[in-house]
Amino acid sequence: MFYEKIAFPLAQAFARLPQLPFGRDIQTKDVLKWRCDYVWNTNIMVGVSLYFTNRMLIDLSVKGTNCAVLFFGDGRVNPHAIAGHESPTKANAFSRMTNSFDDHSVLEFATAFFKAARHQPKNFHPPKVWHMGWGDPADKRNYIPLPFYEFEWLRKDVGLVQPGEVHHPRVIVVVSGISGQVLSYQRLFLPITGDFEPSLPGGQPPLNEKTVNSITNSP
């Protein structure tokens, strides 16, 4: 019941965001498999994963009858693996592909998706932007810029992040300049109910069946 009434409709509403590469309205037949995860030896559900036939994945985080999209990934291309590979062969191939973005247009695109995913820029520091590449940027001769960008929004209540610190509320989005689409989305250490809890500044109503219906039916 939870999957049919809340989890799948939320994934379906999220997949409709125009910056994502689904291309059409997803249906139950497009789900290759789905899985619910539970706290060990209890009936407390903590997550739902939907694996799609087009090699895309959506993870939902669950708390009671509320849930939110925690992760989206396009499994057809992995920019981090390309940038981190020991050989530059793949990086060279991707670097020759047309990049449809410049620094200004890609920021506009990523910010539009960030807002469409129900985040409010006023609740976050300006994003850190990484125009991804292979090798050391200081090595001008061998560095290979790639048509991929990573954006990281840290929530405003997060101060200066020290090296090695990772548990900070943030949103990470990776964008492809080749397809002009979002390749991955992560919301980390944020409450299910929004950027903040509803009782705090910037809080949003919980994503229950009523809220999902309002998203699904919105223009």
Side-chain angles (χ1 to χ4, degrees), residues 2-63:
F2 182 90
Y3 174 77
E4 291 83 2
K5 292 290 186 180
I6 296 181
F8 180 78
L10 175 60
Q12 187 180 49
F14 179 80
R16 289 183 182 133
L17 298 182
Q19 297 86 0
L20 294 178
F22 285 92
R24 60 176 177 81
D25 209 20
I26 60 171
Q27 307 297 322
T28 53
K29 66 180 181 180
D30 298 317
V31 180
L32 183 64
K33 63 178 180 177
W34 62 275
R35 182 187 70 223
C36 290
D37 294 318
Y38 295 84
V39 176
W40 176 252
N41 205 29
T42 74
N43 290 321
I44 301 174
M45 196 187 320
V46 294
V48 180
S49 297
L50 293 88
Y51 302 87
F52 295 90
T53 54
N54 58 4
R55 297 178 60 196
M56 297 185 199
L57 167 67
I58 292 179
D59 281 340
L60 308 176
S61 183
V62 181
K63 184 177 182 181

Side-chain angles (χ1 to χ4, degrees), residues 102-197:
D102 56 32
D103 290 347
H104 179 72
S105 62
V106 73
L107 177 59
E108 285 188 337
F109 176 85
T111 302
F113 171 76
F114 180 76
K115 293 177 180 177
R118 305 183 76 243
H119 300 292
Q120 299 184 39
K122 68 179 182 180
N123 294 331
F124 293 82
H125 294 291
K128 299 178 181 178
V129 185
W130 174 30
H131 184 174
M132 301 174 72
W134 184 92
D136 182 358
D139 183 357
K140 302 298 184 182
R141 169 172 287 187
N142 296 307
Y143 182 70
I144 304 171
L146 294 168
F148 306 115
Y149 302 82
E150 181 181 270
F151 294 81
E152 181 182 43
W153 283 267
L154 282 171
R155 205 170 66 183
K156 274 194 173 175
D157 59 341
V158 176
L160 182 65
V161 177
Q162 299 298 321
E165 292 184 323
V166 295
H167 296 91
H168 298 287
R170 63 194 188 275
V171 174
I172 299 174
V173 175
V174 176
V175 172
S176 169
I178 301 169
S179 65
Q181 295 169 328
V182 170
L183 292 177
S184 67
Y185 161 80
Q186 297 178 77
R187 50 179 294 142
L188 301 168
F189 309 108
L190 293 172
I192 288 176
T193 48
D195 298 335
F196 291 91
E197 295 291 352

